[in-house]
Amino acid sequence: MSFLSCYGIIPARYASSRLPGKPLADIGGRPMFWHVWRRARRCRALKNVWVATDDERVAEAAAAWEVPWVLTSPDHPSGTDRVREAAVRLNLPMDAVIVNIQGDEPLLEPSMLDELTAPFTDESVGACTLATPLDPADPADAALIASPHQVKVVMDEAGDALYFSRAPIPFARDGSVPPRFAGHVGLYAFRRDVLERVTALPPSPLEQTEKLEQLRLLEHRIPLRVVLTRWRTRGVDTPEDLETVRALVAAEEARTL
């Protein structure tokens, strides 16, 4: 049985320690959230996409750019909690699939959202995320495997997550079996009833240890399907990231002229 409806929500928190006002950062004459929203709207599975913000300035800009928006509390500890409040305010159906789309991914590949929502044709799937294969023979991938900033994930035979870690997992003890590494991609989709359950739970011990909120699901035995994608994201966390993305967007727009 397929799901009845699927919606995207882009959490856009104004405050950022490294890049204040990040959702409004100018990229080619348009705010960052607009680029994320425009790309998300190209996902065939999504019936609608909203920006969920805690700040009137972002809301006013969304209205000016004709982007659907919803105002949420400034007190949420995570983007998942903001997405949940937005789903409640929008009165989205309890059997709907809610996609949490990172607001700092202006180069988002829409096909990733199609891949993320596809598993929900299986009614046993309640939550899903993405990962990309990492090749230890590739120097760039080897650096990601070693980096605590790139979260790694291991899955069972069904494709459900066994564990996420900032450490390189799995650990190849003697090298007789080449390890298969997968780097987590921070996009999530939940059936709304599962989203309600997850956000009602307190932070779990492993979640607090690794600072990875997806571990809350695993510690409470909530299955999290992981889909492997060939696409990679390029988020904006620093002023340097922003300049890189500006150049890439400008180059992309020049090619379409």
Side-chain angles (χ1 to χ4, degrees):
M1 181 184 298
S2 63
F3 54 85
L4 298 179
S5 52
C6 184
Y7 303 93
I9 297 176
I10 303 168
R13 185 172 67 94
Y14 186 84
S16 171
S17 58
R18 289 182 288 183
L19 198 59
K22 183 161 61 171
L24 297 178
D26 182 277
I27 300 175
R30 300 178 179 88
M32 184 185 301
F33 72 77
W34 180 89
H35 291 272
V36 180
W37 174 80
R38 180 180 68 91
R39 288 173 176 265
R41 287 291 294 146
R42 287 160 51 190
C43 171
R44 294 166 295 178
L46 298 180
K47 296 183 69 173
N48 207 344
V49 182
W50 292 268
V51 167
T53 185
D54 61 346
D55 193 277
E56 291 284 357
R57 287 165 289 189
V58 178
E60 290 172 3
W65 285 98
E66 299 183 336
V67 173
W69 58 275
V70 57
L71 199 61
T72 58
S73 167
D75 300 325
H76 290 304
S78 72
T80 304
D81 294 286
R82 192 174 310 283
V83 166
R84 182 261 173 187
E85 184 192 349
V88 171
R89 288 185 176 275
L90 293 165
N91 196 30
L92 299 181
M94 291 302 294
D95 61 352
V97 171
I98 313 299
V99 182
N100 180 349
I101 303 168
Q102 300 289 350
D104 57 4
E105 296 283 352
L107 294 174
L108 174 73
E109 169 54 52
S111 296
M112 298 173 76
L113 302 180
D114 288 309
E115 294 172 332
L116 181 65
T117 54
F120 290 94
T121 55
D122 179 349
E123 62 184 2
S124 69
V125 174
C128 186
T129 191
L130 297 178
T132 187
L134 296 175
D135 181 1
D138 180 284
D141 279 6
L144 291 174
I145 292 168
S147 172
H149 301 295
Q150 171 62 69
V151 177
K152 277 68 68 175
V153 58
V154 290
M155 296 87 77
D156 64 17
E157 289 295 327
D160 289 337
L162 289 170
Y163 193 64
F164 295 85
S165 182
R166 298 185 182 278
I169 55 172
F171 176 74
R173 180 178 176 181
D174 58 14
S176 61
V177 178
R180 292 184 295 176
F181 294 102
H184 182 227
V185 177
L187 292 167
Y188 298 91
F190 303 89
R191 293 191 194 272
R192 190 181 155 197
D193 59 338
V194 175
L195 178 62
E196 295 288 335
R197 180 183 173 192
V198 169
T199 53
L201 293 168
S204 61
L206 288 172
E207 173 189 0
Q208 293 175 306
T209 299
E210 295 243 25
K211 301 298 186 239
L212 297 174
E213 65 176 298
Q214 62 268 39
L215 290 174
R216 187 184 312 177
L217 280 75
L218 306 190
E219 289 192 78
H220 289 277
R221 298 187 178 184
I222 300 173
L224 179 56
R225 181 64 48 87
V226 180
V227 175
L228 290 176
T229 179
R230 69 183 181 90
W231 301 103
R232 300 199 180 186
T233 58
R234 186 184 290 271
V236 175
D237 293 315
T238 67
E240 293 75 20
D241 293 335
L242 180 58
E243 291 306 316
T244 298
V245 166
R246 282 172 172 161
L248 291 170
V249 169
E252 182 181 85
E253 291 180 349
R255 288 195 298 270
T256 61
L257 293 178

